[in-house]
Structures are given as structure tokens and as C-alpha cells.
Amino acid sequence: MGLEFDVADADAVTERREEVLEAVRDHAGRIARELAVLGGGDYGRETFRTDAGTWTVKYEAGGLEFLLFEGHGTETYVVSTKRDPEPDALAAAMADYGAFVETFDEYVESLSGVLDDVPTDFPEVASTAEVAAERDRVLSAIRETADAMAGELHRFDGTDYGTFAERVEGTRWELKWEGDRASYLRVGGDGGTYLLSQYGPPSVPDTRELAGTFPAFVEAFNEHVAEVTAEATGITYDEP
């Protein structure tokens, strides 16, 4: 026996929902872009309250991620990346969409002129050129001495590269040489401060603090040279 009941066609409802959602995505997307401009970043969210509930706009990379309506115990994601809303829930939310847009417009208008009294005349910026030049002068002198130490290490050790390390006042100082030039001078072990390196110079405060201890490191180096020289003096060789 065949069934003779009529089945409602959902295509018309679905098609109309897609039309509404396409319009909302476009319109609310413009709101999201405006909020991104006002917020000064690509990511964020803003909530707007109407008499019927609250609307939350979340944006990512300057585009609309979701538009959420919450009212009278209901929660409807009008626009989201997951699923489309039910037609009746969408209809209920869209009944308040105009009020939401008015609230957004009022929010934007409330910011009009908010920066008018903010001063843009700022004090002159002090120059660091003189102190930086003094820092470079000190580092140049350290470089000259460190290169001399590297040359002595290279000659004594007989290898193209190596390191010399000593503790000075409880802090590890390490000189790495390549040939007769100091590759780096590091204070404080791994993660320490590089007085000399292939990269940029240390800060002025670090230079001031560490340069005063550098002579003690040189003295430790000289003591090391004296010790190995004394040891080498005792080497004898009997010619066969």
C-alpha cells in the first residue's frame, strides 16, 4: 500500500536562508573590518548590547570569524565557520540585526573627535651618538688586546681555532680565537654577554660593567702563559 501524504519542500527555505546569510556575511564582514581598523590589530572581538540581547563580533586577520546573537536564553551563531543556523533561530536573530547595526554606528560615532586634544608636539629626542661612540672606542681597545691574545694562543696552541676560559671574580670569561683574531669574547657562559662578537655590540651599561673587569681577565691570561712557558722550559730533548 502506497503512502499519499504530501512532503513539504525544504529547498525554498534553504535557498532563502543562504540569501540572508550571504547578505549578512558581507555586511557584518564590513563591520569586522572596521573594528579591526579601530582596534589596531588583525585579531579581536567586540560585544554590542541591544534591547533584545547582545551581539558579539569576532574577527581574525581582519575578516569576520563569527557573529553571535544571544537573547532571552538563546544563542545563535548567525555566521560561523562550523554550521549554518536553523531558519527559525536565524529569523529571530535577524529581527534584531538592525538594532545591532545602530548600536555599532553609535559606538563608532562616540569615538569621533576622541583624539582631537591629544598633543602631537613632543620633546626633542636626546641623541645617543656621543655615548655610543665612547662605547665603540672602549670596545675597539678591548678588541685590539683580545686579538693580541688570540694571536698568542694561535701561535702557542698550533691550531687554527680554540677557546681560552678563566673565572674572574667568580664569572666565566671565554675567548674564542680563529687564527690570530678573536672570534668572540663572552662573559657569563652560555646565554652570557658578548663583549666582542660577529653580531652587534653590547649595551652601554653592559660595556661599562664588564670593561672594568677585562684587565683582570688579561692578567689571568698572562698568568696562564707564564705557567705554560715554565712547563715548556723543562722540556729536554736528547738528540739520537
Side-chain angles (χ1 to χ4, degrees):
M1 182 176 74
L3 298 177
E4 298 180 357
F5 298 103
D6 292 332
V7 178
D9 186 359
D11 290 345
V13 177
T14 301
E15 182 178 349
R16 178 55 182 162
R17 178 179 63 183
E18 290 305 316
E19 292 175 355
V20 172
L21 289 177
E22 182 178 356
V24 174
R25 290 190 190 98
D26 178 68
H27 191 271
R30 283 180 284 164
I31 291 177
R33 288 191 292 275
E34 296 297 334
L35 288 173
V37 171
L38 286 173
D42 289 337
Y43 304 90
R45 68 166 65 197
E46 290 289 341
T47 298
F48 301 90
R49 289 176 173 80
T50 66
D51 291 339
T54 61
W55 291 80
T56 300
V57 181
K58 184 177 181 183
Y59 53 92
E60 285 196 8
L64 179 65
E65 183 181 12
F66 70 67
L67 176 63
L68 170 65
F69 173 68
E70 298 172 280
H72 305 300
T74 63
E75 181 180 271
T76 303
Y77 281 88
V78 178
V79 175
S80 76
T81 59
K82 296 181 179 179
R83 56 175 296 178
D84 293 337
E86 297 293 333
D88 56 346
L90 175 61
M94 292 307 298
D96 192 54
Y97 186 78
F100 155 61
V101 177
E102 290 179 3
T103 303
F104 167 77
D105 290 343
E106 292 171 359
Y107 168 70
V108 175
E109 291 172 4
S110 71
L111 298 176
S112 178
V114 70
L115 298 176
D116 290 351
D117 296 330
V118 175
T120 54
D121 294 326
F122 307 123
E124 193 70 24
V125 177
S127 174
T128 62
E130 184 175 347
V131 68
E134 183 65 13
R135 185 261 317 273
D136 294 344
R137 182 191 67 81
V138 171
L139 291 177
S140 178
I142 293 175
R143 162 63 70 182
E144 183 177 355
T145 301
D147 283 348
M149 296 166 66
E152 298 298 334
L153 289 165
H154 173 55
R155 179 167 57 182
F156 169 79
D157 196 69
T159 58
D160 290 335
Y161 58 88
T163 58
F164 169 76
E166 284 287 346
R167 285 198 170 272
V168 179
E169 299 179 3
T171 301
R172 178 183 172 87
W173 285 65
E174 181 177 272
L175 172 67
K176 180 178 180 181
W177 81 86
E178 291 187 7
D180 58 357
R181 180 175 173 80
S183 177
Y184 69 69
L185 177 59
R186 184 175 64 196
V187 186
D190 293 342
T193 300
Y194 285 85
L195 262 180
L196 302 175
S197 75
Q198 61 180 325
Y199 305 107
S203 68
V204 170
D206 284 343
T207 302
R208 175 181 175 82
E209 177 185 355
L210 299 176
T213 313
F214 180 65
F217 176 62
V218 179
E219 291 176 1
F221 170 79
N222 290 339
E223 292 175 3
H224 170 73
V225 172
E227 290 174 2
V228 296
T229 300
E231 293 174 359
T233 302
I235 298 176
T236 60
Y237 174 69
D238 294 328
E239 186 173 339

